[in-house]
Amino acid sequence: PLLGVWRPSIMNVVQALQDYVGKMVDAVQGMKVLLLDKETTGIISMVCTQSRILEKDVFLIERLDQERKEPQPHLKALCFIRPTGDIIRLLSGELQNPKYGGYYIFFSNVCRKSYIEDLAEADEQELVQHVQEFYADYFAVNSDLFSLNVPS
């Protein structure tokens, strides 16, 4: 600025993740399930309480890598997942044998084009309604500290 003192803005990493979660759950109206992988479960649990998520019509939180019981086609699946080969294979299997009425996929980072193509091939029933990349592949320890959860 020409006048005054310049003050750098400081990003609040907890608020950024909470905003991403809010955008995910607000993107879909009606009853929904939050489908996570091991890493995104940790990411979400550090910034949102289960009761806060339930307030947004998320009636179920499940892991993609764990066996789920019965199909629930009345629920829409919000998939917040890391774009890795293993997770894409799990989601492809889910799409080939769907348990929910629609899928809204949110990646925690940039996703390879080939992974998107794999998911498109697996989605024979055309249940994927939305695909988006977020930059949320970190664990927010507090407002100004995060971890990438990479072993040293």
Side-chain angles (χ1 to χ4, degrees), residues 5 11 26 33 51 89 121:
V5 177
M11 179 179 171
D26 290 343
V33 58
S51 60
R89 280 187 287 283
E121 284 182 30

Side-chain angles (χ1 to χ4, degrees), residues 44-62:
I44 295 284
S45 69
M46 291 185 77
V47 298
C48 291
T49 62
Q50 192 166 359
S51 60
R52 182 168 179 218
I53 293 172
L54 288 171
E55 290 172 358
K56 299 287 191 171
D57 293 332
V58 176
F59 291 96
L60 194 58
I61 300 172
E62 294 195 328

Side-chain angles (χ1 to χ4, degrees), residues 82-152:
R82 294 183 75 224
T84 66
D86 290 341
I87 300 303
I88 296 300
R89 280 187 287 283
L90 286 170
L91 185 55
S92 292
E94 172 76 23
L95 293 173
Q96 289 169 345
N97 186 21
K99 294 179 180 56
Y100 306 107
Y103 290 80
Y104 300 77
I105 303 170
F106 299 89
F107 292 108
S108 65
N109 210 322
V110 177
C111 185
R112 292 181 188 172
K113 181 180 176 184
S114 63
Y115 289 164
I116 301 290
E117 291 167 352
D118 292 344
L119 292 173
E121 284 182 30
D123 185 24
E124 294 174 358
Q125 297 182 41
E126 298 183 1
L127 293 174
V128 174
Q129 305 296 312
H130 182 87
V131 177
Q132 187 171 353
E133 297 170 335
F134 283 151
Y135 302 102
D137 207 2
Y138 61 91
F139 292 77
V141 178
N142 59 41
S143 64
D144 60 355
L145 179 65
F146 67 90
S147 169
L148 298 175
N149 203 29
V150 177
S152 55

Side-chain angles (χ1 to χ4, degrees), residues 1-9:
L2 295 174
L3 300 171
V5 177
W6 179 78
R7 295 193 177 121
S9 62

